[in-house]
mmCIF file of all heavy atoms in Angstrom:
data_model
loop_
_atom_site.group_PDB
_atom_site.id
_atom_site.type_symbol
_atom_site.label_atom_id
_atom_site.label_comp_id
_atom_site.label_asym_id
_atom_site.label_seq_id
_atom_site.Cartn_x
_atom_site.Cartn_y
_atom_site.Cartn_z
ATOM 1 N N LEU A 44 -51.937 9.622 -35.272
ATOM 2 C CA LEU A 44 -52.777 8.510 -35.707
ATOM 3 C C LEU A 44 -53.924 8.204 -34.742
ATOM 4 O O LEU A 44 -54.795 7.387 -35.067
ATOM 5 C CB LEU A 44 -51.912 7.254 -35.893
ATOM 6 C CG LEU A 44 -51.026 7.271 -37.140
ATOM 7 C CD1 LEU A 44 -49.909 6.242 -37.034
ATOM 8 C CD2 LEU A 44 -51.842 7.022 -38.395
ATOM 9 N N GLN A 46 -57.210 8.065 -33.464
ATOM 10 C CA GLN A 46 -58.543 8.297 -34.041
ATOM 11 C C GLN A 46 -58.485 8.957 -35.413
ATOM 12 O O GLN A 46 -59.389 9.709 -35.787
ATOM 13 C CB GLN A 46 -59.387 9.160 -33.096
ATOM 14 C CG GLN A 46 -59.927 8.388 -31.924
ATOM 15 C CD GLN A 46 -60.965 7.377 -32.343
ATOM 16 O OE1 GLN A 46 -62.084 7.745 -32.670
ATOM 17 N NE2 GLN A 46 -60.588 6.119 -32.334
ATOM 18 N N GLY A 120 -51.108 13.049 -22.925
ATOM 19 C CA GLY A 120 -51.613 12.551 -24.196
ATOM 20 C C GLY A 120 -51.222 11.122 -24.508
ATOM 21 O O GLY A 120 -51.619 10.601 -25.551
ATOM 22 N N THR A 125 -50.950 4.169 -26.715
ATOM 23 C CA THR A 125 -49.748 4.819 -27.242
ATOM 24 C C THR A 125 -48.497 4.358 -26.490
ATOM 25 O O THR A 125 -47.442 4.139 -27.099
ATOM 26 C CB THR A 125 -49.902 6.350 -27.158
ATOM 27 O OG1 THR A 125 -51.072 6.738 -27.888
ATOM 28 C CG2 THR A 125 -48.691 7.056 -27.750
ATOM 29 N N ARG A 147 -61.494 -5.005 -33.360
ATOM 30 C CA ARG A 147 -62.313 -5.623 -34.406
ATOM 31 C C ARG A 147 -61.750 -6.985 -34.797
ATOM 32 O O ARG A 147 -62.493 -7.969 -34.926
ATOM 33 C CB ARG A 147 -62.401 -4.706 -35.626
ATOM 34 C CG ARG A 147 -63.308 -5.237 -36.735
ATOM 35 C CD ARG A 147 -63.508 -4.217 -37.827
ATOM 36 N NE ARG A 147 -62.270 -3.734 -38.397
ATOM 37 C CZ ARG A 147 -61.732 -2.554 -38.163
ATOM 38 N NH1 ARG A 147 -62.317 -1.702 -37.361
ATOM 39 N NH2 ARG A 147 -60.594 -2.207 -38.722
ATOM 40 N N ILE A 190 -52.770 -4.462 -36.104
ATOM 41 C CA ILE A 190 -53.325 -3.164 -36.498
ATOM 42 C C ILE A 190 -53.439 -3.091 -38.024
ATOM 43 O O ILE A 190 -54.474 -2.689 -38.570
ATOM 44 C CB ILE A 190 -52.437 -2.019 -35.967
ATOM 45 C CG1 ILE A 190 -52.493 -1.979 -34.441
ATOM 46 C CG2 ILE A 190 -52.858 -0.691 -36.557
ATOM 47 C CD1 ILE A 190 -51.405 -1.146 -33.800
ATOM 48 N N ARG A 230 -74.714 5.185 -31.667
ATOM 49 C CA ARG A 230 -74.370 6.410 -32.368
ATOM 50 C C ARG A 230 -74.396 7.640 -31.473
ATOM 51 O O ARG A 230 -75.295 7.832 -30.674
ATOM 52 C CB ARG A 230 -75.333 6.628 -33.516
ATOM 53 C CG ARG A 230 -74.718 7.459 -34.610
ATOM 54 C CD ARG A 230 -75.627 7.557 -35.784
ATOM 55 N NE ARG A 230 -75.777 8.916 -36.230
ATOM 56 C CZ ARG A 230 -74.786 9.743 -36.427
ATOM 57 N NH1 ARG A 230 -73.547 9.376 -36.171
ATOM 58 N NH2 ARG A 230 -75.002 10.952 -36.847
ATOM 59 P P DC C 3 -75.010 4.539 -38.217
ATOM 60 O OP1 DC C 3 -75.711 3.328 -37.784
ATOM 61 O OP2 DC C 3 -75.040 5.764 -37.399
ATOM 62 O "O5'" DC C 3 -73.486 4.163 -38.484
ATOM 63 C "C5'" DC C 3 -73.192 3.148 -39.439
ATOM 64 C "C4'" DC C 3 -71.694 3.110 -39.675
ATOM 65 O "O4'" DC C 3 -71.308 4.248 -40.454
ATOM 66 C "C3'" DC C 3 -70.866 3.162 -38.387
ATOM 67 O "O3'" DC C 3 -70.023 2.033 -38.348
ATOM 68 C "C2'" DC C 3 -70.079 4.467 -38.491
ATOM 69 C "C1'" DC C 3 -70.078 4.737 -39.982
ATOM 70 N N1 DC C 3 -70.000 6.167 -40.348
ATOM 71 C C2 DC C 3 -69.019 6.597 -41.262
ATOM 72 O O2 DC C 3 -68.239 5.771 -41.723
ATOM 73 N N3 DC C 3 -68.965 7.910 -41.598
ATOM 74 C C4 DC C 3 -69.833 8.769 -41.063
ATOM 75 N N4 DC C 3 -69.739 10.055 -41.420
ATOM 76 C C5 DC C 3 -70.837 8.352 -40.138
ATOM 77 C C6 DC C 3 -70.882 7.055 -39.812
ATOM 78 P P DC C 4 -69.302 1.635 -36.972
ATOM 79 O OP1 DC C 4 -69.246 0.169 -36.887
ATOM 80 O OP2 DC C 4 -69.872 2.424 -35.878
ATOM 81 O "O5'" DC C 4 -67.840 2.183 -37.261
ATOM 82 C "C5'" DC C 4 -67.168 1.741 -38.434
ATOM 83 C "C4'" DC C 4 -65.933 2.571 -38.615
ATOM 84 O "O4'" DC C 4 -66.302 3.876 -39.101
ATOM 85 C "C3'" DC C 4 -65.156 2.798 -37.316
ATOM 86 O "O3'" DC C 4 -63.838 2.336 -37.465
ATOM 87 C "C2'" DC C 4 -65.197 4.301 -37.100
ATOM 88 C "C1'" DC C 4 -65.450 4.828 -38.509
ATOM 89 N N1 DC C 4 -66.115 6.142 -38.536
ATOM 90 C C2 DC C 4 -65.629 7.145 -39.393
ATOM 91 O O2 DC C 4 -64.665 6.896 -40.111
ATOM 92 N N3 DC C 4 -66.233 8.348 -39.405
ATOM 93 C C4 DC C 4 -67.275 8.579 -38.603
ATOM 94 N N4 DC C 4 -67.840 9.787 -38.643
ATOM 95 C C5 DC C 4 -67.779 7.576 -37.719
ATOM 96 C C6 DC C 4 -67.175 6.383 -37.724
ATOM 97 P P DC C 5 -62.918 2.057 -36.187
ATOM 98 O OP1 DC C 5 -62.619 0.617 -36.076
ATOM 99 O OP2 DC C 5 -63.421 2.789 -35.035
ATOM 100 O "O5'" DC C 5 -61.611 2.783 -36.726
ATOM 101 C "C5'" DC C 5 -61.184 2.561 -38.059
ATOM 102 C "C4'" DC C 5 -60.403 3.769 -38.524
ATOM 103 O "O4'" DC C 5 -61.294 4.888 -38.622
ATOM 104 C "C3'" DC C 5 -59.280 4.166 -37.573
ATOM 105 O "O3'" DC C 5 -58.129 4.535 -38.315
ATOM 106 C "C2'" DC C 5 -59.863 5.370 -36.840
ATOM 107 C "C1'" DC C 5 -60.738 5.993 -37.919
ATOM 108 N N1 DC C 5 -61.857 6.822 -37.424
ATOM 109 C C2 DC C 5 -62.103 8.050 -38.034
ATOM 110 O O2 DC C 5 -61.378 8.413 -38.951
ATOM 111 N N3 DC C 5 -63.138 8.802 -37.591
ATOM 112 C C4 DC C 5 -63.914 8.360 -36.595
ATOM 113 N N4 DC C 5 -64.922 9.143 -36.206
ATOM 114 C C5 DC C 5 -63.685 7.106 -35.958
ATOM 115 C C6 DC C 5 -62.662 6.368 -36.402
ATOM 116 P P DA C 6 -57.156 3.242 -38.787
ATOM 117 O OP1 DA C 6 -56.362 3.708 -39.926
ATOM 118 O OP2 DA C 6 -57.907 1.959 -38.849
ATOM 119 O "O5'" DA C 6 -56.303 3.089 -37.498
ATOM 120 C "C5'" DA C 6 -55.222 3.484 -37.060
ATOM 121 C "C4'" DA C 6 -55.126 3.198 -35.556
ATOM 122 O "O4'" DA C 6 -53.882 2.530 -35.372
ATOM 123 C "C3'" DA C 6 -55.070 4.470 -34.726
ATOM 124 O "O3'" DA C 6 -55.430 4.157 -33.400
ATOM 125 C "C2'" DA C 6 -53.633 4.841 -34.826
ATOM 126 C "C1'" DA C 6 -52.965 3.447 -34.811
ATOM 127 N N9 DA C 6 -51.759 3.392 -35.620
ATOM 128 C C8 DA C 6 -50.728 4.265 -35.577
ATOM 129 N N7 DA C 6 -49.764 4.009 -36.416
ATOM 130 C C5 DA C 6 -50.208 2.874 -37.066
ATOM 131 C C6 DA C 6 -49.650 2.100 -38.094
ATOM 132 N N6 DA C 6 -48.470 2.352 -38.659
ATOM 133 N N1 DA C 6 -50.342 1.026 -38.506
ATOM 134 C C2 DA C 6 -51.510 0.775 -37.937
ATOM 135 N N3 DA C 6 -52.159 1.451 -36.965
ATOM 136 C C4 DA C 6 -51.434 2.490 -36.584
ATOM 137 P P DG C 7 -56.938 4.463 -32.894
ATOM 138 O OP1 DG C 7 -57.628 3.263 -32.453
ATOM 139 O OP2 DG C 7 -57.487 5.296 -33.937
ATOM 140 O "O5'" DG C 7 -56.661 5.424 -31.638
ATOM 141 C "C5'" DG C 7 -56.460 4.880 -30.351
ATOM 142 C "C4'" DG C 7 -55.957 5.994 -29.467
ATOM 143 O "O4'" DG C 7 -56.884 7.083 -29.520
ATOM 144 C "C3'" DG C 7 -55.821 5.613 -28.003
ATOM 145 O "O3'" DG C 7 -54.698 6.309 -27.487
ATOM 146 C "C2'" DG C 7 -57.143 6.041 -27.417
ATOM 147 C "C1'" DG C 7 -57.485 7.284 -28.256
ATOM 148 N N9 DG C 7 -58.914 7.476 -28.467
ATOM 149 C C8 DG C 7 -59.854 6.502 -28.663
ATOM 150 N N7 DG C 7 -61.054 6.970 -28.840
ATOM 151 C C5 DG C 7 -60.897 8.351 -28.742
ATOM 152 C C6 DG C 7 -61.848 9.389 -28.831
ATOM 153 O O6 DG C 7 -63.058 9.293 -29.040
ATOM 154 N N1 DG C 7 -61.257 10.634 -28.671
ATOM 155 C C2 DG C 7 -59.926 10.864 -28.459
ATOM 156 N N2 DG C 7 -59.541 12.118 -28.343
ATOM 157 N N3 DG C 7 -59.018 9.899 -28.371
ATOM 158 C C4 DG C 7 -59.583 8.669 -28.513
ATOM 159 P P DA C 8 -54.320 6.244 -25.936
ATOM 160 O OP1 DA C 8 -52.851 6.307 -25.909
ATOM 161 O OP2 DA C 8 -55.040 5.133 -25.301
ATOM 162 O "O5'" DA C 8 -54.880 7.628 -25.374
ATOM 163 C "C5'" DA C 8 -54.423 8.842 -25.965
ATOM 164 C "C4'" DA C 8 -54.927 10.033 -25.177
ATOM 165 O "O4'" DA C 8 -56.322 10.254 -25.471
ATOM 166 C "C3'" DA C 8 -54.816 9.878 -23.663
ATOM 167 O "O3'" DA C 8 -54.311 11.091 -23.135
ATOM 168 C "C2'" DA C 8 -56.250 9.578 -23.227
ATOM 169 C "C1'" DA C 8 -57.074 10.298 -24.276
ATOM 170 N N9 DA C 8 -58.370 9.692 -24.577
ATOM 171 C C8 DA C 8 -58.649 8.359 -24.744
ATOM 172 N N7 DA C 8 -59.899 8.104 -25.043
ATOM 173 C C5 DA C 8 -60.492 9.360 -25.074
ATOM 174 C C6 DA C 8 -61.813 9.780 -25.339
ATOM 175 N N6 DA C 8 -62.805 8.938 -25.628
ATOM 176 N N1 DA C 8 -62.070 11.099 -25.300
ATOM 177 C C2 DA C 8 -61.070 11.932 -25.014
ATOM 178 N N3 DA C 8 -59.786 11.662 -24.752
ATOM 179 C C4 DA C 8 -59.563 10.348 -24.795
ATOM 180 P P DC C 9 -54.067 11.262 -21.572
ATOM 181 O OP1 DC C 9 -52.922 12.165 -21.418
ATOM 182 O OP2 DC C 9 -54.083 9.935 -20.928
ATOM 183 O "O5'" DC C 9 -55.376 12.030 -21.111
ATOM 184 C "C5'" DC C 9 -55.743 13.223 -21.797
ATOM 185 C "C4'" DC C 9 -57.104 13.653 -21.325
ATOM 186 O "O4'" DC C 9 -58.113 12.769 -21.848
ATOM 187 C "C3'" DC C 9 -57.278 13.651 -19.810
ATOM 188 O "O3'" DC C 9 -57.493 14.977 -19.385
ATOM 189 C "C2'" DC C 9 -58.492 12.745 -19.557
ATOM 190 C "C1'" DC C 9 -59.162 12.723 -20.914
ATOM 191 N N1 DC C 9 -59.956 11.503 -21.202
ATOM 192 C C2 DC C 9 -61.307 11.641 -21.552
ATOM 193 O O2 DC C 9 -61.796 12.762 -21.593
ATOM 194 N N3 DC C 9 -62.034 10.524 -21.817
ATOM 195 C C4 DC C 9 -61.460 9.323 -21.761
ATOM 196 N N4 DC C 9 -62.211 8.266 -22.038
ATOM 197 C C5 DC C 9 -60.088 9.171 -21.408
ATOM 198 C C6 DC C 9 -59.376 10.275 -21.138
#
Side-chain angles (χ1 to χ4, degrees):
Chain A
L44 286 162
Q46 283 292 286
T125 302
R147 184 172 55 255
I190 293 165
R230 206 175 131 48

